[in-house]
Amino acid sequence: MAPDDTRGPDDEPVAPARFVRPYTITAGRTKAAVDLPMEATLRIQPHDASADADLGAGAQRVLDLCDQRSVAEVSALASMPIGVVRVLLGDLVQQGLVRVQATITESSSQDERIELIERTLRGLRSY
Amino acid sequence: MDFAPTSAPRKAASTKIVIAGGFGVGKTTLVGSVSEIVPLRTEALVTNESEGVDDLAAVPTKATTTVAMDFGRLTLAEDLVLYLFGTPGQRRFWFMWDDLCRGAIGAIVMVDTARLDESFSPLDYFESKGLPFIVAVNQFDGTREYDLDEVAAALALPPEVPIIRVDARDRESAKQALVRVTEYALLRLTQSLTVNAN
Ligand SMILES: Nc1nc2c(ncn2[C@@H]2O[C@H](COP(=O)(O)OP(=O)(O)OP(=O)(O)O)[C@@H](O)[C@H]2O)c(=O)[nH]1
Ligand SMILES: [Mg+2]
């Protein structure tokens, strides 16, 4: 069930303080190039293997994991903080290696929202 | 994967529902009982994401803490996946709530009647953000069973907010809670359409 937590003084899960090493993978950048909701599903785009050659180890790891998974899943499976994964995925999207599937966003029309929520409801009822 | 579409093809998509509530109220249990995967955990670093530091290379030794979120996954159709995210409890992690709630269908606020006050801040939060939410009373063994009306009154819930009982350990019960919040979110959207049309 729930992974073990380190309990803080107020009994909430709190991980120990640590230094900001994770963002060295992104050369210190914390802002992703594209908007990546936690639940957004990624799809690898067909590309030449040569395009992979220039990728850093972090980006390669994320690329290997991401197909048909959400941003949150990639973060959990790669054991990288969500912000780091967003930066890496954002780069991969900009390089045309990865595509982001639809979610509800601020720019979704009312019709799009209704359509997605109706689909979710139908799916849940027969889940 | 390419079919010749006779009508407009449906876009593959994912959606999410947020599971909120006080400490130990059963959020992870509920996620786990409906999820097709063992709940996964993702972490966010608190320092930069809450304070908007753009370039951490400039502050390489700044200490940071992490906040963890559990989530589960339900594949509802070949082209539709629903994610359930449990919110981190503490107030200082509310910056994560904004991230979790953006684009969410709605939220389930889980309530333990022995500790009603712990649900006040999640309720305040969703009300202020206008995110559709329902209240799910998680009945723990050996606790008094209150009328849902009593609980709604004690929480000063607006009359339109659905309140249900849930057993977070039971898949069917958890599923019903998800159906309910999704129905409510849809109702809210379609009602706002009729209001706008008039
Ligand atoms: N009797 C009973 N126990 C429950 C129920 N739901 C959860 N529990 C138990 O309550 C405890 C806390 O449940 P969790 O699911 O970890 O609660 P949580 O809200 O995720 O907790 P935090 O993430 O730590 O805030 C666990 O020991 C569960 O087994 C329920 O419906 N009935
Ligand atoms: Mg939990």
Side-chain angles (χ1 to χ4, degrees), chain A residues 43-61:
Chain A
R43 295 304 297 264
I44 290 190
Q45 294 295 88
H47 60 269
D48 290 346
S50 64
D52 284 20
D54 299 334
L55 296 177
Q60 186 65 57
R61 181 134 145 253

Side-chain angles (χ1 to χ4, degrees), chain A residues 2 5 7 12-13, chain B residues 22-30 70 138-141 166-169:
Chain A
D5 297 326
R7 296 286 172 197
E12 293 260 1
Chain B
F23 170 69
V25 74
K27 301 179 292 290
T28 306
T29 303
L30 185 140
D70 291 337
N138 202 9
Q139 193 68 52
F140 283 86
D141 302 332
V166 74
D167 183 336
R169 300 161 300 179

Side-chain angles (χ1 to χ4, degrees), chain A residues 1-7 10-23 27-31 35-41 43 68-77 80-84 86 101-106 110-127, chain B residues 10-17 23 28-29 32 34-45 48-49 52-57 59-66 69-71 73-76 79-80 82-83 85 89-90 92-93 96 99-100 102-103 105 171 175 178-179 182-183 185-186 189-190 192-193:
Chain A
M1 290 276 26
D4 273 352
D5 297 326
T6 313
R7 296 286 172 197
D10 47 2
D11 248 19
E12 293 260 1
V14 176
R18 67 178 182 208
F19 295 92
V20 193
R21 292 298 297 170
Y23 279 98
R29 289 172 306 136
T30 63
K31 289 277 181 291
D35 188 34
L36 288 166
M38 299 242 187
E39 73 279 18
T41 300
R43 295 304 297 264
Q68 306 209 51
R69 294 206 170 106
S70 63
V71 175
E73 281 172 290
V74 174
S75 162
L77 297 174
M80 289 184 198
I82 192 95
V84 173
R86 279 178 164 147
Q101 291 185 349
T103 56
I104 298 173
T105 66
E106 275 104 54
Q110 192 94 332
D111 285 350
E112 287 169 333
R113 280 165 210 262
I114 289 176
E115 196 259 349
L116 254 185
I117 297 177
E118 278 174 348
R119 270 164 71 185
T120 303
L121 186 55
R122 279 197 301 277
L124 274 173
R125 282 183 175 142
S126 55
Y127 182 71
Chain B
R10 303 202 320 179
K11 264 200 274 177
S14 40
T15 54
K16 70 182 161 189
I17 291 173
F23 170 69
T28 306
T29 303
V34 278
S35 174
E36 68 202 19
I37 54 171
V38 173
L40 289 174
R41 168 157 292 195
T42 179
E43 285 189 344
L45 299 173
N48 65 296
E49 276 154 298
V53 177
D54 274 331
D55 185 1
L56 286 174
V59 283
T61 57
K62 193 166 183 186
T64 183
T65 53
T66 59
M69 289 148 294
D70 291 337
F71 65 94
R73 165 186 170 132
L74 290 75
T75 301
L76 298 181
D79 55 2
L80 183 64
L82 171 67
Y83 287 92
F85 284 94
Q90 286 164 306
R92 69 193 175 94
F93 295 141
M96 270 327 293
D99 194 345
L100 285 176
R102 201 175 327 120
I105 288 178
R171 181 180 188 272
K175 189 188 118 174
L178 297 174
V179 166
T182 308
E183 284 172 343
L186 192 58
L189 261 181
T190 46
S192 73
L193 273 188

